[in-house]
Amino acid sequence: MTHSLDTYFQQHRDAHLAELSDYLRIPSVSAVPEHAGDVRRCAEWTADALRRAGCEHVQVLETEGHPVVYGDWLHAPGKPTVLVYGHYDVQPPDPLELWETPPFEPQLRNNKLYARGATDDKGQLFMYIKLVEAWLRTQGTMPVNVKFCIEGEEEVASLHTPPFIETHRELLAADAVVISDNPMIKKGQPAIMYSLRGLIGVEIEVIAANQDLHSGLYGGGVPNAVHALTELLGSMHRPDGTVAVEGFYDAVLPLSPEERQSLANAGEDEEQLRRELGLSALFGEPGFSFVERTTARPTLEVVSISGGFQGEGIKPIVPGRAVAKIACRLVASQKPEEIEAVLERHIQRHTPAGVQAKMKRSLSGNPYLTPIDHPFMRAAAESYADVYGVKPVFTRGGGSIPVVEVFGRLLDAPVVMMGFGLKEENMHAPNEYFDLDNFDLGLRTLARFWDKLGQTRIGQ
């Protein structure tokens, strides 16, 4: 059945790329107030594209910021419902002088389409719209039910998207969420990202005397806030790099042999990385590779320290106050509030005599994981292998994409992240492009994915 879709994609390729170019001409820069009208225009263009493809109930829904575009096709009773998430907003194109061609005048060169938003995320999102069109025009139906949730604030941290999802949980309800907004390992080697780390950020303030004191009059006789803070921070790690905060690792799930092998396949050349960074050695938890430490293990990093006189020269005082900021990356199934609690207990137990220490919470985000043996993940992997001729690598993301965790938690659905971009495609930089080999192969892969999902029993 998917062969007829392959033929459709080939026959309509030029028309599809012309339509994608029209999409890319809209400067939907969400970060710049002067482009608010363009962002709105792009939302309307996206809605019209969904309608032309055959989606129903298409709406441009308001938020406190830029709107969300919704559409659906729900005529496959008993079949899974897939929610496609993407974003129509783009990064600012600056610096303009580094672009070889204007950022919002798409250019095709060497089978690559150059424009801001080409790979992040209009090009990858556009494939799903054409997928709906191809199914309905060649088959008159689809093997799954489909919903779209396309936001306009991803490039400005999706501030209003989580509350939108919570408010519209019933409208967005689905058996799986599918996202294509991440890169492959390299050209010809697809990847499925199955986990993202969460995050907490805290500020620790240590107070000694009620003011900075003259070191000639008080030095050696009163506690020093900077000394106390560094002693407290030093108690949080062991010499081998492991976190010494009691309870920090309690909820961490061990990596399976299959996960470790997959991460090894996606791993860095550690010696080359060490040289590129100008380091004498890499560092971290014993027993784990660099890629495991930076994607599958939790961390506690001191990201800044301040106290005493910060100007040029030396002011000989005993600081009365010192502050440190800490960021922790969390992995499934750690909970931000639990890690904040164990960190606060550690601070209370290890604060040096003569000073007070207070912790203030500032950032919080949950980690996310979809098991790689979930039937929907297996269907995605098989679809990649069918088209690309190689099995995809299952990877973890070391950073955080809060909206992914929000979808998984509020909709109680697995999130499948199937990227078709490449790391070298200059997303967020001048001369962004989308390699059209992956546009062609991506359409075929997604067609097979939906076909396989249609053969998967809900709740299997």
Side-chain angles (χ1 to χ4, degrees):
M1 184 180 295
T2 56
H3 294 301
S4 61
L5 273 74
D6 294 348
T7 301
Y8 182 87
F9 294 137
Q10 292 169 4
Q11 292 175 341
H12 293 82
R13 187 178 193 265
D14 290 346
H16 289 168
L17 292 179
E19 190 175 347
L20 175 56
S21 295
D22 288 342
Y23 202 14
L24 294 169
R25 288 188 181 95
I26 306 173
S28 50
V29 182
S30 55
V32 180
E34 289 78 6
H35 282 290
D38 294 315
V39 175
R40 168 72 58 173
R41 182 160 59 95
C42 197
E44 297 289 353
W45 193 101
T46 305
D48 287 341
L50 290 175
R51 294 186 187 100
R52 291 194 300 271
C55 287
E56 302 170 339
H57 309 114
V58 177
Q59 306 171 67
V60 176
L61 299 170
E62 301 302 328
T63 72
E64 293 297 317
H66 298 303
V68 171
V69 180
Y70 173 85
D72 62 36
W73 185 92
L74 305 174
H75 300 288
K79 300 296 185 179
T81 297
V82 178
L83 175 68
V84 176
Y85 164 82
H87 64 94
Y88 63 84
D89 66 320
V90 300
Q91 282 280 329
D94 309 73
L96 293 173
E97 65 274 12
L98 297 183
W99 284 80
E100 293 181 18
T101 53
F104 296 108
E105 295 179 17
Q107 298 288 326
L108 182 60
R109 303 195 298 272
N110 300 317
N111 204 36
K112 299 171 182 176
L113 185 60
Y114 286 82
R116 171 56 87 230
T119 188
D120 182 22
D121 175 45
K122 288 180 179 177
Q124 297 194 62
L125 168 64
F126 185 76
M127 292 193 299
Y128 288 92
I129 300 175
K130 295 296 105 178
L131 186 60
V132 171
E133 176 186 296
W135 275 107
L136 295 181
R137 293 192 183 177
T138 63
Q139 308 299 321
T141 187
M142 287 195 284
V144 292
N145 300 289
V146 179
K147 297 180 179 181
F148 283 87
C149 178
I150 306 170
E151 70 157 305
E153 296 188 339
E154 195 275 345
E155 300 294 5
V156 286
S158 300
L159 180 62
H160 300 102
T161 307
F164 175 89
I165 297 169
E166 186 157 15
T167 301
H168 295 85
R169 288 170 71 172
E170 185 174 345
L171 179 69
L172 301 176
D175 298 297
V177 180
V178 181
I179 300 174
S180 294
D181 190 19
N182 55 288
M184 300 165 59
I185 296 294
K186 60 183 179 181
K187 187 163 184 176
Q189 179 55 71
I192 300 174
M193 188 174 291
Y194 70 98
S195 179
L196 294 163
R197 292 197 289 188
L199 175 68
I200 65 165
V202 302
E203 184 177 288
I204 301 172
E205 180 183 32
V206 169
I207 299 172
N210 56 12
Q211 59 183 319
D212 293 344
L213 300 171
H214 192 292
S215 65
L217 299 176
Y218 294 96
V222 296
N224 182 310
V226 171
H227 293 179
L229 177 62
T230 55
E231 181 181 339
L232 176 57
L233 295 176
S235 72
M236 295 180 180
H237 287 91
R238 300 183 184 92
D240 65 359
T242 56
V243 177
V245 176
E246 186 176 352
F248 188 79
Y249 294 107
D250 284 358
V252 176
L253 300 176
L255 287 167
S256 69
E258 185 179 2
E259 287 180 288
R260 298 199 80 165
Q261 183 58 55
S262 192
L263 290 174
N265 293 339
E268 299 269 2
D269 181 330
E270 295 192 8
E271 179 57 25
Q272 179 180 345
L273 179 66
R274 181 196 66 77
R275 290 195 302 267
E276 288 175 351
L277 297 177
L279 295 170
S280 59
L282 299 178
F283 181 72
E285 271 189 278
F288 296 96
S289 66
F290 176 84
V291 69
E292 288 172 341
R293 292 170 184 161
T294 56
T295 65
R297 300 296 295 170
T299 65
L300 188 157
E301 298 285 349
V302 179
V303 296
S304 76
I305 299 176
S306 61
F309 178 65
Q310 300 293 307
E312 270 193 53
I314 295 175
K315 184 178 181 182
I317 50 94
V318 178
R321 177 180 177 272
V323 175
K325 296 180 181 180
I326 289 175
C328 297
R329 294 288 179 176
L330 311 181
V331 297
S333 56
Q334 290 179 304
K335 295 183 172 143
E337 60 271 18
E338 292 177 357
I339 298 303
E340 289 169 348
V342 299
L343 190 55
E344 192 156 33
R345 284 197 296 271
H346 182 93
I347 291 168
Q348 292 169 354
R349 292 171 184 163
H350 292 82
T351 297
V355 301
Q356 298 177 339
K358 299 186 294 185
M359 188 185 91
K360 182 173 75 174
R361 296 161 171 82
S362 59
L363 292 174
S364 180
N366 291 300
Y368 183 77
L369 181 144
T370 298
I372 63 176
D373 59 357
H374 190 286
F376 292 171
M377 297 289 273
R378 292 301 183 197
E382 291 167 6
S383 301
Y384 270 126
D386 289 348
V387 174
Y388 280 83
V390 295
K391 292 181 179 179
V393 174
F394 285 98
T395 65
R396 287 176 173 242
S400 305
I401 307 176
V403 72
V404 172
E405 183 278 331
V406 173
F407 273 125
R409 173 169 47 85
L410 293 181
L411 303 186
D412 190 25
V415 180
V416 184
M417 288 179 273
M418 302 176 67
F420 295 96
L422 298 172
K423 294 178 181 177
E424 61 266 28
E425 287 178 335
N426 299 323
M427 60 181 70
H428 293 204
N431 302 306
E432 179 181 350
Y433 68 90
F434 191 19
D435 189 316
L436 295 182
D437 285 345
N438 287 323
F439 178 78
D440 298 329
L441 294 173
L443 284 167
R444 294 173 56 200
T445 300
L446 293 174
R448 283 153 181 78
F449 179 47
W450 284 14
D451 193 37
K452 292 178 189 294
L453 287 185
Q455 301 170 39
T456 304
R457 287 185 301 165
I458 301 172
Q460 182 176 329

